[in-house]
């Protein structure tokens, strides 16, 4: 028997050879259903909205002569107010969600499995009820002669009056509705924090604040970042909270879009507003992703 | 049968349906089915014969209905479905303009029946080929059921030539303002007009935010009709007024039930605008202090020697038409007939969710006697219909606003400026 050295073997690429059917790799074939869904369900509507945004007012087809009049109108009219409110509500709500959801996520993460399941179910359960119904429930609870006002009056003779029709009520609504969207990515992020590391840090005399700042926060950052981005983007399009709990105290850009597409019958302007919101949300995601190295945070790269 | 199942219908099937419809028309014209009655009796007989003609089948058995809430609910649809074996797919409207543009955008291939406020049929839908005329010989006798002012020939149900019948009329209602009579004397609004709410009750009223109606009533508050071209000076007046309307409002909502509740709890004194259809539900629940009020002193351009006070409110009437669906079904025409039977007319009026409305067929005693006193009280019918008639005579007919685009821009600016 002779020794066979590596150099005697024919050169073989270390990478596995991709399987192919014809000229197309098998993976691409497998991806076809989701690609088709993305093209027809996501990309095509986006393209239609973008095309409509360049159509003149009164167009109900995206194939007319393009114009910038919708964007000019948006700049010339006071749409900055609704954009400003939507942006502010999204930022404020996301910040509040971070503060509210973090302790809850830590509690669920550290709870015994049985208790964690109960907590999770309690948080998920409201998602099975339509958002509008839940918000209407809060209106009936917080409004004048509602459950709270009526209950306090009946029991203690104290009246709260209406606690809706104001901006804090809208913010409350957004935080309430979107809590699960922040909480669950955060829990996944906290799963990246090994208990041993915290224990080691504690043994070495680290304070709770230092453990949070130097250990938990960096390791849980991917989940926190994803939760934050998700909440920011969906809060930017918040509609029902301002409608039901705000009762017209402010107008969000989502309400402007709805008005343009329905009573305004101005599909091109509604589309132009939608494009601007998409760009705003896309920019936020882009900036956040540029500033934070997700791959590194996920531990895939040193 | 689901909608997808009739998409594949071919020309042969269409021929069959045409044959069915033609056969029915010929039977009527040929005199073999004669009609003994008039008004409600005619409606019942016509419906019985229609059911008989449908029994042979051979046509699409689903009916796709795009309408306001009166026609989309089980109390109205269930008997029709039971009698014909049809499957009715209703979709409620969110606004007249949106529905018109749905049809323009290809909705004729989906819908069989469209129910909108008047004016759209005559001025847009029929000229654009989106709806079909009805068989006048068959439907004209049904107009004998109607209350005074809605008899044949009714302007908004006919085309510009007055020869083609474009739809059947049913629900209607005057629109002005709504008020809680315990918080604000309705007589104040009646004599003082819209400014008693906009300025007199500043910070205490809600805007019922059906956007086109807010615009129309703001024009009336300005003192001119919304339904004609406006001068630059009038547009400036409108701009000033719409900003005032929003700045002085306590709340803005398109939920008429929520605003009615706010009126009952005293959170607001009234709404601008307000109509019989927005107050009828709380009135039916016994909250009869909630009222629709139409100011008595109208805008100058409506004042005539016969009507020196003019008109300050706006009356809407729904017209139900056959959509020019490329794959029609005789069920569409049958549904229009069915809605004129006394029981169905009553249900259309009184069994919609969250609102009760008068129907013009209440001019026929057989229909009127189906209403209970609480239902008549809810729709502000009054003694022998006098209360409703008084408010109706104070209204101009709903129409299309040629300056709607510019006014809607100002409306949205005013709404945003509240913040």
């Amino acid at each position: 028997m002779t020794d066979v050295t590596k150099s005697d073997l024919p050169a073989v690429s270390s990478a596995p050879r991709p399987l192919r059917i014809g000229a197309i790799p098998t993976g691409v074939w497998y991806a076809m259903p989701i690609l088709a869904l993305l093209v027809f369900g996501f990309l095509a509507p986006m393209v239609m909205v973008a095309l409509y945004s360049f159509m003149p007012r009164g167009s109900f087809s995206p194939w007319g002569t393009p114009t910038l009049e919708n964007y000019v109108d948006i700049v010339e009219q006071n749409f900055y107010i609704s954009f400003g409110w939507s942006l502010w509500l999204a930022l404020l709500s996301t910040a509040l969600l971070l503060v509210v959801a973090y302790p809850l996520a830590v509690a669920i993460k550290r709870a015994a499995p049985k208790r964690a399941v109960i907590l999770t179910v309690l948080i998920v359960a409201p998602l099975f009820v339509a958002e509008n119904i839940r918000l209407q429930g809060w209106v009936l609870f917080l409004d004048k002669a509602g459950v709270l006002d009526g209950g306090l009056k009946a029991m203690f003779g104290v009246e709260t009056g209406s606690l809706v029709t104001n901006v804090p009520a809208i913010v409350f609504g957004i935080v309430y509705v979107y809590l699960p969207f922040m909480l669950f990515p955060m829990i996944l992020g906290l799963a990246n924090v090994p208990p041993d590391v915290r224990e080691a840090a504690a043994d070495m005399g680290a304070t709770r604040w230092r453990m949070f700042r130097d250990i938990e926060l960096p390791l849980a950052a991917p989940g926190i970042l994803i939760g934050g981005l998700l909440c920011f983007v969906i809060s930017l399009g918040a509609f029902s909270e301002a409608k039901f709990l705000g009762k017209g105290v402010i107008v969000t850009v989502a309400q402007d879009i709805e008005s343009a597409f329905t009573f305004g019958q101005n599909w091109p302007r509604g589309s132009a507003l939608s494009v601007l919101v998409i760009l705003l949300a896309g920019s936020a995601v882009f900036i956040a992703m540029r500033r934070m190295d997700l791959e590194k945070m996920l531990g895939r790269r040193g | 049968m689901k909608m997808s199942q009739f998409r594949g219908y071919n020309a042969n099937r269409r021929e069959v349906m045409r044959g069915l419809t033609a056969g029915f028309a010929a039977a009527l014209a040929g005199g073999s089915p004669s009609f003994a009655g008039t008004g409600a009796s005619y409606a019942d007989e016509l419906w019985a014969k229609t059911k008989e003609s449908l029994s042979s089948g051979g046509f699409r058995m689903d009916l796709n209905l795009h309408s306001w809430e009166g026609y989309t609910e089980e109390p109205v649809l269930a008997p029709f479905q039971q009698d014909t074996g049809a499957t009715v797919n209703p979709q409620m409207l969110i606004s007249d303009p949106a529905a018109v543009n749905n049809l323009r955008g290809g909705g004729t291939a989906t819908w069989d029946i469209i129910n909108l406020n008047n004016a759209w049929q005559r001025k847009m839908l029929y000229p654009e080929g989106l709806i079909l005329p009805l068989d006048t010989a068959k439907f004209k006798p049904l107009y004998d059921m109607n209350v005074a002012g809605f008899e044949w020939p009714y302007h908004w149900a006919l085309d510009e030539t007055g020869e083609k019948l474009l739809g059947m009329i049913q629900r209607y209602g005057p629109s002005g303002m709504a008020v809680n009579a315990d918080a604000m004397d309705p007589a104040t609004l009646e004599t003082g007009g819209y400014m008693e709410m906009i300025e007199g009750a500043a910070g205490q009223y809600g805007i019922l935010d059906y956007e086109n109606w807010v615009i129309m009533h703001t024009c009336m508050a300005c003192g001119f009709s919304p339904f004609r071209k406006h001068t630059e000076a009038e547009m400036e007046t409108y701009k000033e007024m719409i900003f005032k309307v929003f700045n002085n409002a306590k709340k803005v909502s398109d939920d008429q039930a929520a605003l009615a509740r706010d009126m009952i709890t005293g959170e607001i004194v009234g709404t601008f605008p307000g109509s019989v259809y927005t107050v009828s539900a709380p009135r039916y629940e016994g909250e009869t202090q909630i009222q629709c009020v139409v100011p008595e002193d109208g805008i100058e351009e409506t004042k005539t020697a016969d009507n020196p006070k003019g008109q300050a409110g706006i009356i809407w009437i729904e017209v139900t038409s056959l959509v020019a669906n490329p794959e029609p079904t005789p069920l569409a025409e049958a549904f229009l007939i069915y809605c004129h039977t006394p029981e169905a007319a009553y249900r259309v009026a009184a069994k919609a969710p969250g609102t009760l409305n008068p129907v013009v067929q209440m001019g026929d005693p057989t229909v009127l006697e189906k209403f209970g006193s609480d239902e008549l009280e809810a729709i502000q019918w009054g003694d022998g219909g006098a209360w409703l008639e008084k408010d109706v005579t104070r209204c101009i007919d709903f129409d299309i606003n040629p300056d709607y685009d510019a006014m809607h821009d100002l409306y949205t600016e005013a709404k945003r400026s509240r913040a």
Side-chain angles (χ1 to χ4, degrees):
Chain A
M1 184 182 281
T2 57
D3 289 340
V4 178
T5 63
K6 270 190 176 178
S7 57
D8 297 325
L9 296 170
V12 176
S13 166
S14 59
R17 184 183 296 170
L19 295 171
R20 287 175 177 276
I21 299 174
I24 301 171
T26 317
V28 176
W29 285 108
Y30 282 129
M32 283 292 180
I34 191 68
L35 283 175
L37 185 69
L38 286 173
V39 167
F40 291 106
F42 178 74
L43 195 60
M46 296 273 270
V47 169
M48 287 295 282
V49 166
L51 286 173
Y52 262 114
S53 76
F54 293 104
M55 292 298 108
R57 185 173 199 150
S59 300
F60 296 100
S61 159
W63 311 117
T65 309
T67 172
L68 285 171
E69 71 176 49
N70 302 305
Y71 292 98
V72 173
D73 283 350
I74 289 169
V75 172
E76 285 180 350
Q77 295 182 22
N78 60 2
F79 283 97
Y80 65 89
I81 296 174
S82 50
F83 270 99
W85 274 113
S86 288
L87 198 56
W88 169 238
L89 286 174
L91 286 169
L92 182 61
S93 304
T94 305
L96 288 172
L97 278 163
L98 284 167
V99 174
V100 171
Y102 193 82
L104 195 54
V106 171
I108 290 174
K109 185 70 190 55
R110 294 184 192 168
K114 213 170 187 178
R115 184 173 286 182
V117 168
I118 292 169
L119 283 170
T120 306
V121 167
L122 285 174
I123 290 160
V124 170
L127 291 176
F128 292 103
V129 180
E131 179 185 333
N132 287 357
I133 294 173
R134 282 184 284 149
L135 291 172
Q136 286 284 24
W138 278 112
V139 172
L140 292 174
F141 186 78
L142 296 171
D143 212 349
K144 184 173 181 176
V147 175
L148 183 64
D149 186 37
L152 287 176
K153 190 178 175 185
M155 287 189 287
F156 308 110
V158 180
E159 292 182 57
T160 64
S162 175
L163 297 177
V164 294
T165 321
N166 54 56
V167 174
I170 300 171
V171 174
F172 166 76
I174 295 174
V175 170
Y176 161 71
V177 168
Y178 298 137
L179 180 65
F181 297 94
M182 179 67 89
L183 184 66
F184 292 114
M186 215 174 238
I187 292 172
L188 288 176
L190 285 169
N192 289 336
V193 185
D196 315 3
V197 180
R198 290 189 77 257
E199 281 169 25
D203 288 348
M204 294 171 78
T207 60
R208 280 174 177 269
W209 165 248
R210 187 126 193 234
M211 281 195 285
F212 167 73
R213 192 191 66 186
D214 294 341
I215 297 171
E216 283 187 4
L217 207 55
L219 291 173
I224 296 170
L225 175 69
I226 290 166
L229 279 175
L230 189 62
C231 288
F232 176 79
V233 169
I234 53 180
S235 300
L236 201 56
F239 172 89
S240 304
E241 295 78 9
K243 182 174 174 171
F244 294 122
L245 293 167
K247 294 196 177 185
V249 71
I250 59 160
V251 175
T252 65
V253 70
Q255 289 175 293
D256 266 331
I257 291 170
E258 194 230 12
S259 174
F261 274 108
T262 55
F263 283 100
Q265 282 309 293
N266 196 346
W267 294 6
R269 181 178 296 166
S271 299
L273 287 167
S274 304
V275 166
L276 292 175
V277 172
I278 292 166
L279 286 176
L280 200 58
S283 303
V285 174
F286 184 74
I287 291 167
M289 289 301 183
R290 270 185 70 103
R291 290 182 68 87
M292 298 182 197
D293 190 337
L294 203 60
E295 291 238 325
K296 188 176 177 182
M297 284 193 281
L298 287 168
R300 291 184 187 156
R301 187 152 49 82
Chain B
M1 184 185 283
K2 298 291 176 201
M3 278 175 58
S4 57
Q5 289 175 271
F6 69 80
R7 293 284 166 248
Y9 266 55
N10 56 28
N12 290 338
R13 180 54 62 91
R14 283 202 292 274
E15 291 304 318
V16 168
M17 286 200 307
R18 283 191 195 125
L20 273 171
T21 310
F24 185 80
L28 286 180
S32 47
S34 57
F35 293 91
T38 58
S41 302
Y42 172 79
D44 279 333
E45 281 185 69
L46 182 60
W47 174 231
K49 289 184 168 72
T50 303
K51 279 191 288 184
E52 199 181 319
S53 73
L54 293 173
S55 61
S56 57
F59 48 84
R60 173 158 64 83
M61 284 304 290
D62 63 328
L63 180 68
N64 302 299
L65 183 66
H66 199 20
S67 82
W68 287 107
E69 71 286 331
Y71 301 89
T72 58
E73 300 303 310
E74 188 265 345
V76 172
L77 299 181
F80 178 78
Q81 295 184 114
Q82 196 173 349
D83 285 356
T84 61
T87 301
V88 183
N89 306 308
Q91 184 179 326
M92 203 165 84
L93 293 182
I94 50 167
S95 82
D96 288 329
V100 170
N101 289 316
N102 277 349
L103 288 188
R104 285 172 171 159
T108 49
T110 301
W111 307 111
D112 299 301
I113 285 180
I114 183 86
N115 162 260
L116 295 176
N117 285 311
N118 56 289
W120 301 101
Q121 301 79 6
R122 182 183 174 106
K123 295 190 171 177
M124 290 189 178
L125 297 183
Y126 185 64
E128 293 177 27
L130 300 171
I131 57 172
L132 299 171
L134 300 176
D135 179 346
T136 306
K138 194 188 297 180
F139 284 94
K140 182 181 168 186
L142 294 170
Y143 276 78
D144 293 344
M145 301 169 76
N146 295 359
V147 295
F150 299 94
E151 308 95 333
W152 183 272
Y154 184 66
H155 176 80
W156 293 114
L158 299 168
D159 75 337
E160 296 289 350
T161 68
E163 290 173 3
K164 303 282 188 190
L165 178 59
L166 304 182
M168 297 305 288
I169 54 174
Q170 199 146 37
R171 303 196 313 169
Y172 69 106
S175 184
M177 290 169 280
V179 67
N180 179 347
D182 292 343
M184 189 177 189
D185 187 355
T188 308
L189 296 177
E190 211 167 351
T191 53
Y194 292 104
M195 298 316 291
E196 288 292 338
M197 181 74 85
I198 297 167
E199 288 181 339
Q204 302 173 72
Y205 67 88
I207 293 176
L208 178 60
D209 199 22
Y210 298 148
E211 303 182 6
N212 51 345
W213 285 90
V214 176
I215 291 168
M216 288 185 280
H217 280 282
T218 301
C219 287
M220 297 301 273
C222 291
F224 49 76
S225 167
F227 308 124
R228 59 168 173 76
K229 282 300 287 180
H230 300 91
T231 63
E232 272 186 39
E234 285 173 335
M235 288 300 287
E236 200 52 45
T237 307
Y238 167 81
K239 181 179 179 181
E240 199 176 305
M241 185 65 79
I242 193 80
F243 273 77
K244 188 182 283 183
V245 165
F246 273 100
N247 286 334
N248 288 358
K250 186 171 188 182
K251 51 182 66 180
V252 181
S253 173
D254 62 1
D255 184 343
Q256 66 188 48
L259 287 175
R261 184 178 174 277
D262 286 338
M263 279 191 276
I264 293 165
T265 62
E267 177 72 2
I268 55 174
V269 297
T271 70
F272 172 92
S275 175
V276 166
Y277 77 90
T278 70
V279 302
S280 55
R283 289 178 64 78
Y284 184 63
E285 297 296 326
E287 305 284 353
T288 51
Q289 76 279 19
I290 309 298
Q291 294 178 18
C292 165
V293 178
V294 180
E296 63 182 9
D297 193 21
I299 56 176
E300 285 304 316
E301 61 198 271
T302 60
K303 292 179 179 172
T304 61
D306 291 340
N307 184 9
K309 287 260 186 187
Q311 291 149 317
I314 299 167
I315 180 174
W316 56 271
I317 180 155
E318 292 171 1
V319 182
T320 312
S321 304
L322 303 182
V323 174
N325 191 315
E327 303 286 354
T329 170
L331 288 170
E333 189 189 72
F335 185 75
L336 293 189
I337 294 165
Y338 157 77
C339 287
H340 285 75
T341 59
E343 180 61 27
Y346 161 72
R347 289 178 180 218
V348 166
K351 300 299 177 188
T355 178
L356 295 88
N357 294 278
V359 289
V360 294
Q361 287 76 25
M362 290 169 80
D364 191 296
T366 317
V367 177
L368 185 59
E369 70 189 15
K370 291 189 174 290
F371 287 80
S373 58
D374 51 349
E375 290 163 338
L376 293 175
E377 182 64 31
I379 58 173
Q380 301 190 176
W381 183 251
D383 188 14
W387 186 359
L388 187 64
E389 190 182 347
K390 179 194 74 179
D391 284 343
V392 167
T393 56
R394 290 178 179 176
C395 292
I396 58 173
D397 287 351
F398 172 85
D399 203 339
I400 293 167
N401 178 353
D403 290 316
Y404 183 74
D405 287 350
M407 286 187 174
H408 189 264
D409 279 0
L410 292 170
Y411 158 91
T412 58
E413 285 206 69
K415 196 171 168 181
R416 282 190 294 273
S417 76
R418 268 171 65 76

